């Protein structure tokens, strides 16, 4: 294959990125070598099986991908900022909304949330780690390999361009012959396997590793939502696996699952995609609900109103989320009866969601509210998300959807759900749990800038889209004429997106500033919080808890803190068993990435040869009988004394 | 935690979790195969002028495959029985028998596929053949994987004997093997029998 087919050439924007990526890579390698940090990286991060470090790596990747996806968003906004704009051509616009959608949902939202789950959930249930630490590392590295492969498409071979939903027959070989959609099929597959493993891991962790006395109805609500989310992952991701496998077979081996010719059925793709895709939006939004619940309870200084109804609401939403997928294609020729049924099930989701909103409001009522950064995000979430929810109910009405379908109204709706429901939550969670990860707080004042710029920018960006949508501007339209009269709305919206970007920049600056200057030693419980993760040091020690806590009630930590019963006796400290680091997860994942790359280009011989690497990794793994090691009691004692003072 | 009447593979908390985790994984596998079956039912009649199930299926071969796989599940059970009574030699023997039966099944299945291709039904022929070969192929790939996996475990058992750890690994592999048997029963009923009717 010739070089100009392999590398994407000709576009100045891409050429610039290629140079930038190349220079960054060289720069990074040089910097790490200069600082002599390779060994440290390998030992402390690449081979780690510690859930907290894995969580941090997930979050870092998520922030990077948010940057990439955000730049895509800005490019699109720039292109539609004025009528007849000639900044991006149609093809390029297609590629950008596709990668934007995929990256935001699968490579930004998912890793951010899974990262926070990883950091927080084992601590919240008083566990030493997740059930399968090595599998956890494998999950991360598979996700990472998938994400890198997907991003590579931008400069090598060409990006996918059939939308994040990649509907057939458009996504088939016939209409998109390039390698772009091969990237989609294969990168998502690799990352998806990692996600499935995470789901299994957390189902087992939460079922089996809760501290003594931590009964189901005493479980913090974030852990509950993680548990339910994990079950949805286990139930939904295999469907994606199959759908992507069919897609790969169709594209790479000429089968006829989804083609129009030879008995394939494009509607099969739609059904499979949304059977996974709808639960997926709840996979990203339920953990966010859990985070808000923790944060609102903490900073309203009250226990969560209606804890039990919150739990039932999460379970109810999860159940319903599997029964509504057809609402994504009301207009594609279903019978009236089918549309009506799915319209009803969809609207039913509003009930448990409403329960949650009212519970948050009642928790706030008469609370002593503290307007910290995490709390601000949570407060802003409620009205913004409600707008998203209400417009969702509008879309759920099948008859009305014929008007809204595939317009900017829909785009505005799902951004009003996803940005408050995921991005606000992630910001809130990052501010809230930052001390648990790093031992200091992010700066509150820069945080306020971040907050106001982002929230105002967000509303300015997406509110106008409702109006142009109702006025008939269809989704994925890359340009429009003056006579439509949309120019003012969309120009306004583009400025809004710049304000939002400034908010994100403030966030990055905040991280930089706080790493350099923030006050250290904020104590183990800087927010005066309610749940168990705050019972141990901040940052949490490698072994999490010197002594596994015992739990007697909901919000046990809060009550014990009040009663002054949190001390640790010297005699309670025993040697702690820990799992060893392992090189197999990263090795296997890199191998998956390599095989995936060859498959994308349909170089099957190379793919087969390199899959030997995967097999080697798996064999090494099954013969691995390393049982971990013990941290001696003295070492634990030393570390505990550092933050607790003298032990009894 | 170590009671005498707890089976070896369940004695430590980690191994209990491993087994429970594997059950959850099997839950995911059930969804995976259900999706493959559902798609097969959608595409079953879309033969696009190519051969349909009743044109190509041969009952005799399928019956032999079924017999081989069901028997292998039985011998896998005997292997676990030997494991629980700490009879390493029997464990190894029954496992080898299981693997041979599995290999026999695969041999038959590959022949069956070659035969179909000769009849003009390759994976690229129609919606029906795509769904058929993918469903069967996924099952067959699972069997292949299982054979390699269990062979590697056999090496470990031979080297280390029956310990809590090898026992739990082996027990998990046997769950996997039985699961493939159950899937096959569904394939036999809803693909072959239904297709030949
Ligand atoms: C950061 C600010 C963001 C901006 C400026 C932005 C902007 C846009 C724009 C202009 C589109 C294209 C609409 C169209 O022409 O159809 C789009 C599509 C989309 N966005 Fe965003 N977005 C942002 C954040 C997000 C986030 C956080 C998510 C998800 C968590 C997300 C998910 C999506 C999806 C799934 C699509 C559909 C892609 C497709 O049509 O295939 N976006 N976004
Ligand atoms: Cu939906």
């Amino acid at each position: 294959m010739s070089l100009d087919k392999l590398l994407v050439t000709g576009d100045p924007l891409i050429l610039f990125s290629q140079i930038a990526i190349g220079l960054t890579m060289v720069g990074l390698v040089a910097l790490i070598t200069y600082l002599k940090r390779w060994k440290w990286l390998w030992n402390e991060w690449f081979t780690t099986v510690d859930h907290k470090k894995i969580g941090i790596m997930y979050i870092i990747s998520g922030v990077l991908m948010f940057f990439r996806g955000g730049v895509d968003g800005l490019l699109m906004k720039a292109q539609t900022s004025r009528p007849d704009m000639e900044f991006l051509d149609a093809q390029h616009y297609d590629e950008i909304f596709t990668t934007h959608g995929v990256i935001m949902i699968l490579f930004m939202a998912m890793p951010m949330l899974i990262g926070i789950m990883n950091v927080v959930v084992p601590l919240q249930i008083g566990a030493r780690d997740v059930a399968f630490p090595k599998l956890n590392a494998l999950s991360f590295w598979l996700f990472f390999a998938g994400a890198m492969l997907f991003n590579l498409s931008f400069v090598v071979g060409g990006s996918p361009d059939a939308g994040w939903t990649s509907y057939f027959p458009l996504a088939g070989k016939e209409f998109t012959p390039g390698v772009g959609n091969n990237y989609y099929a294969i990168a998502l597959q690799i990352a998806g396997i990692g996600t499935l493993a995470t789901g299994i891991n957390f189902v087992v962790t939460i079922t089996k590793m809760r501290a003594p006395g931590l009964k189901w109805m005493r479980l913090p609500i974030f852990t509950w939502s993680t548990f339910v989310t994990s079950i949805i992952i286990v139930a939904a991701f295999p469907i994606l696996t199959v759908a992507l496998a069919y897609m790969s077979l169709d594209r790479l081996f000429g089968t006829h699952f989804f083609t129009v010719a030879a008995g394939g059925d494009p509607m099969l793709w739609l059904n499979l995609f949304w059977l996974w895709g709808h639960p997926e939006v709840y996979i990203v939004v339920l953990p966010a609900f859990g985070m808000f619940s923790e944060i609102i309870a903490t900073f309203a200084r009250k226990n969560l109103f209606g804890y039990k109804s919150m739990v039932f609401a999460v379970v109810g939403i999860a159940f319903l989320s599997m029964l509504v997928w057809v609402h994504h294609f009301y207009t594609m020729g279903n019978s009236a009866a089918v549309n009506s049924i799915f319209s009803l099930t969809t609207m039913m989701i509003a009930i448990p969601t409403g329960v949650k909103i009212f519970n948050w409001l009642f928790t706030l009522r008469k609370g002593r509210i503290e307007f910290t950064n995490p709390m601000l995000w949570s407060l802003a979430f409620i009205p913004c998300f409600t707008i998203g929810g209400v417009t969702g109910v509008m879309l759920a009405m099948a008859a009305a959807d014929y008007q809204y379908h595939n317009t900017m109204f829909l785009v505005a709706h799902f951004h009003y759900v996803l940005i408050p429901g995921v991005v606000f939550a992630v910001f809130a969670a990052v501010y809230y749990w930052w001390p648990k990860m790093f031992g200091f707080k992010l700066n509150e004042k820069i945080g306020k800038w971040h907050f106001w710029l982002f929230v105002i920018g967000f509303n300015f960006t997406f509110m106008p889209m409702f109006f142009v949508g109702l006025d008939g501007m269809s989704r994925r339209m890359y340009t429009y004429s003056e006579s439509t009269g949309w120019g003012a709305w969309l120009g306004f919206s583009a400025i809004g997106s710049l304000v939002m970007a400034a908010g994100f920049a403030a966030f990055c600056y905040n991280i930089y500033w706080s790493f350099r200057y923030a006050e250290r030693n904020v104590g183990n419980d800087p927010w005066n919080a309610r749940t168990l993760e705050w019972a141990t040091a901040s940052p949490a020690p490698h072994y999490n808890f010197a002594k596994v806590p015992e739990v007697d009630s909901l919000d046990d930590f809060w009550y014990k803190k009040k009663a002054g019963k949190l001390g640790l006796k010297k005699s309670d400290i025993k040697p702690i068993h820990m799992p060893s680091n392992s090189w197999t997860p990263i090795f296997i994942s890199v191998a998956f990435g390599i095989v995936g790359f060859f498959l994308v280009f349909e170089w099957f011989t190379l793919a087969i040869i390199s899959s030997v690497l995967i097999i080697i990794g798996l064999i090494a793994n099954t013969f691995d009988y390393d049982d971990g090691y013990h941290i001696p009691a003295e070492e634990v004692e030393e570390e505990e004394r550092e933050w607790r003072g003298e032990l009894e | 935690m170590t009671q005498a009447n707890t089976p070896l593979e369940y004695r430590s908390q980690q191994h209990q979790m491993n087994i429970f985790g594997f059950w959850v994984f099997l839950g995911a596998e059930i969804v995976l195969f259900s999706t493959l079956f559902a798609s097969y039912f959608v595409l079953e009649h879309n033969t696009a002028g190519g051969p349909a199930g009743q044109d190509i299926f041969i009952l005799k071969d399928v019956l032999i495959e079924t017999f081989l796989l069901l028997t292998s599940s039985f011998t896998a059970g005997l292997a676990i029985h030997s494991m629980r009574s700490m009879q390493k030699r029997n464990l190894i023997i029954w496992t080898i028998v299981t693997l041979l039966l599995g290999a026999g099944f695969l041999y038959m299945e590959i022949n069956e596929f070659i035969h179909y291709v000769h009849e003009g039904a390759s994976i690229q022929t129609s919606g029906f053949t795509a769904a058929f070969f993918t469903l069967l192929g996924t099952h067959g790939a699972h069997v292949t994987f299982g054979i390699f996996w269990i062979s590697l475990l056999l090496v470990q058992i031979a080297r280390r004997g029956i310990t809590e750890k090898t026992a739990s690994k082996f027990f998990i592999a046997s769950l996997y093997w039985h699961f493939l048997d159950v899937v096959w029963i569904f394939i036999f009923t809803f693909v072959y029998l239904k297709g030949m009717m």
Side-chain angles (χ1 to χ4, degrees), chain A residues 274 277-279 281-282 324-325 327-328 346:
Chain A
W274 285 114
H278 191 84
V281 305
Y282 286 91
V324 302
W325 75 96
H327 66 209
H328 294 273
T346 305

Side-chain angles (χ1 to χ4, degrees), chain A residues 132 253 256-257 262-263 622 625, chain B residues 18 46 124 127 134 156 165 169:
Chain A
F132 312 118
F253 299 101
H256 298 285
F257 284 101
T622 181
Y625 272 75
Chain B
N18 292 356
N46 299 8
Q124 286 127 339
T134 312
Q156 295 170 33
K165 188 148 184 177
K169 284 180 162 202

